[in-house]
Amino acid sequence: MPDRYAVIGNPVAHSKSPQIHAAFARQTGHDLTYERLLAPMDGFVATLEAFHARGGLGLNVTLPFKGQAFAYATRLSERARAAQAANTLKFEGQSIFGDNTDGAGLLSDLGRNLGCALSGRRVLLLGAGGAARGVIMPLLEQQPARLVLANRTPGKAQDLVQDLGIALEAVAYAALAGRQFDLVINATSASLTGALPPLPAGVFAQGALAYDMMYGKGETPFLAFARSEGAATCADGLGMLVEQAAESFFIWRGVRPDTAPVLQSLRQATA
Ligand code: NDP
């Protein structure tokens, strides 16, 4: 019997994780299956436990269950603890290990795939939900010149900063007028609904990189805005998706797959 893994979420039909992990398994010669689990909004734990009872060894966790996965895990990585959210679960006998690979995935995509060094750069992070939570500490570890957090509901950004116990500037969008950044990361879900976060003009510095964590629906309103504002590079979140998946695969299987050919074939499939 092949080992069993899955991604759990609601909705989950759109997830590209099964394709990515199937490609990793072929590449590394690991015998495993990877399926999609649609959990009812009030049925995360029941769905997860049924999967475990059927022999499931590990899960990726997506919207809206990363907080519940964090609470369910009995052992947590430092980065999951910092994010207070888990996107990877591994069943280990009686214990359940929870990790968060979103930050590592973003950093790998920025550094390895896009050639963007963060040290000394001015970074603006948009959003204060689960995705932003997962990437703040990894971004800070790269020692940017500054990291500013902007959110539509400023109180939520301030709560996040307080939860993480860090000194970080958390502002409303209006406070960004007249300021410039070398890297602007859209970690809001605005692109999912075709909306644009209310960014003022002039926020992209010369040579800036605009990064939207969203992927797969053509150019997002955020990336279209960035291009019209003169951002030098515009990137979607497909690379982050593949890189965070590789990190999960490593946690489960102890082998780090080569992400480049997998990302390339996904890009071709979505072109
Ligand atoms: P959450 O629902 O936890 O947070 C959503 C955030 O978006 C909130 O800060 C919310 O602001 C903000 N927001 C929503 N609509 C708007 C809008 N119209 N204008 C401005 N801000 C808005 O979502 P997640 O953090 O989990 O996910 C965010 C995005 O990141 C999603 O698109 C997801 O697909 C993507 N993602 C991609 C990954 C990848 O591997 N590429 C990995 C993880 C996430 P407010 O607080 O005011 O409500």
Side-chain angles (χ1 to χ4, degrees):
M1 281 288 282
D3 292 343
R4 297 184 73 164
Y5 297 89
V7 54
I8 183 168
N10 187 335
V12 78
H14 66 285
S15 173
K16 294 187 191 305
S17 293
Q19 272 164 271
I20 296 171
H21 284 280
F24 289 165
R26 275 194 303 276
Q27 186 195 95
T28 56
H30 282 226
D31 188 20
L32 58 86
T33 63
Y34 189 105
E35 60 202 90
R36 291 184 182 86
L37 292 179
L38 175 66
M41 285 303 190
D42 60 353
F44 170 71
V45 169
T47 307
L48 170 160
E49 288 183 343
F51 178 68
H52 185 34
R54 294 197 304 274
L57 294 181
L59 286 162
N60 279 133
V61 182
T62 186
L63 273 171
F65 299 126
K66 291 181 186 180
Q68 287 185 56
F70 171 77
Y72 187 78
T74 56
R75 193 168 74 79
L76 288 159
S77 68
E78 263 313 303
R79 51 194 186 178
R81 219 183 285 281
Q84 296 179 23
N87 76 337
T88 305
L89 293 175
K90 183 182 181 189
F91 299 106
E92 302 174 317
Q94 293 309 304
S95 86
I96 299 123
F97 176 62
D99 202 344
N100 190 314
T101 65
D102 282 340
L106 175 66
L107 290 186
S108 292
D109 194 32
L110 288 172
R112 190 171 332 130
N113 301 332
L114 297 164
C116 172
L118 293 175
S119 167
R121 312 290 290 277
R122 296 162 292 177
V123 181
L124 171 61
L125 181 63
L126 312 177
R133 205 172 257 280
V135 302
I136 287 180
M137 299 309 281
L139 285 171
L140 282 174
E141 282 163 17
Q142 300 300 306
Q143 302 190 314
R146 89 175 54 96
L147 176 61
V148 174
L149 184 64
N151 196 44
R152 183 176 58 181
T153 313
K156 222 169 122 184
Q158 279 143 13
D159 288 350
L160 197 169
V161 168
Q162 206 170 7
D163 283 355
L164 295 177
I166 48 174
L168 193 73
E169 200 183 339
V171 300
Y173 283 92
L176 298 170
R179 301 183 69 174
Q180 291 210 312
F181 297 87
D182 305 301
L183 170 60
V184 182
I185 302 168
N186 183 16
T188 75
S189 54
S191 297
L192 277 174
T193 55
L196 174 68
L199 279 170
V203 84
F204 297 95
Q206 198 175 2
L209 168 58
Y211 192 98
D212 199 333
M213 286 194 188
M214 171 79 183
Y215 54 85
K217 274 195 178 175
E219 188 174 55
T220 64
F222 168 73
L223 292 181
F225 175 73
R227 196 164 45 78
S228 74
E229 284 282 310
T233 310
C234 294
D236 70 10
L238 194 63
M240 174 177 173
L241 180 78
V242 174
E243 298 294 345
Q244 62 80 28
E247 191 74 13
S248 296
F249 194 90
F250 177 72
I251 291 163
W252 295 326
R253 312 295 302 181
V255 178
R256 203 174 289 279
D258 180 8
T259 51
V262 179
L263 179 55
Q264 196 186 0
S265 75
L266 275 180
R267 284 248 178 262
Q268 279 163 358
T270 54

